[in-house]
Amino acid sequence: MDGKRMGVCLLAFLMVTALCGVIPSNSYASAEETIETSFKIAENINYFPDEVKSKVQELQWRVTDGHALVHKDGIAYVILSLGIRPTTGYAIEVDSVVRINDTRLLIWANEIKPQPHAVVSPQLTSPVQVLSMPDPSHKIKHVSVWIN
């Protein structure tokens, strides 16, 4: 998604949520006030705290997609799950992470599907992606995720 289109989508989302009363109208940021957030993508879940591993296992075998936020030792972990898929070859690719007012993260990601003629195993899988970012004051409270 290009930056201009993402900015327009972000601004529209913020305006709709403010009008619906989800967040106070004076607390949302304009598109100019949002900042790209640096994050790391987990390579090996075994090295993460037990609280994160537990939340991954909880989300991993859901029928539908989901996400969760876990704070541990000054790090915010965001777990993204696609839910159960019928074969191998599925994955989550994070497109962008935007932080708003120190308390809210907006995440855009894509579901990578196997190519039509790819060789896949007919087994249930559950793609998960774990993002980590510094948050020493535990300010991040809300995460909104869009997976295309």
Side-chain angles (χ1 to χ4, degrees), residues 47-111:
Y47 297 114
F48 285 106
D50 290 339
E51 296 87 346
V52 176
K53 291 180 196 175
S54 174
K55 191 55 81 169
V56 166
Q57 290 173 347
E58 180 183 317
L59 287 174
Q60 196 167 20
W61 296 106
R62 292 173 36 141
V63 175
T64 60
D65 62 1
H67 65 276
L69 172 65
V70 177
H71 286 97
K72 181 69 176 172
D73 299 327
I75 305 289
Y77 298 91
V78 179
I79 301 129
L80 309 175
S81 172
L82 288 179
I84 297 173
R85 295 296 183 261
T87 66
T88 59
Y90 289 86
I92 301 171
E93 178 183 76
V94 175
D95 189 32
S96 67
V97 177
V98 177
R99 190 166 179 168
I100 300 175
N101 291 344
D102 290 332
T103 64
R104 182 176 295 272
L105 288 178
L106 303 177
I107 299 173
W108 284 269
N110 296 302
E111 176 180 0

Side-chain angles (χ1 to χ4, degrees), residues 6-43:
M6 184 172 37
V8 170
C9 290
L10 172 63
L11 190 56
F13 167 76
L14 293 172
M15 290 171 52
V16 168
T17 55
L19 289 173
C20 293
V22 175
I23 55 177
S25 61
N26 63 352
S27 70
Y28 68 90
S30 70
E32 294 81 31
E33 295 171 354
T34 62
I35 53 172
E36 284 285 326
T37 300
S38 62
F39 60 91
K40 293 181 183 177
I41 296 178
E43 297 297 325

Side-chain angles (χ1 to χ4, degrees), residues 69 71 102-105 135 137-143:
L69 172 65
H71 286 97
D102 290 332
T103 64
R104 182 176 295 272
L105 288 178
D135 189 25
S137 302
H138 297 254
K139 289 184 176 182
I140 299 172
K141 302 290 183 203
H142 306 284
V143 177

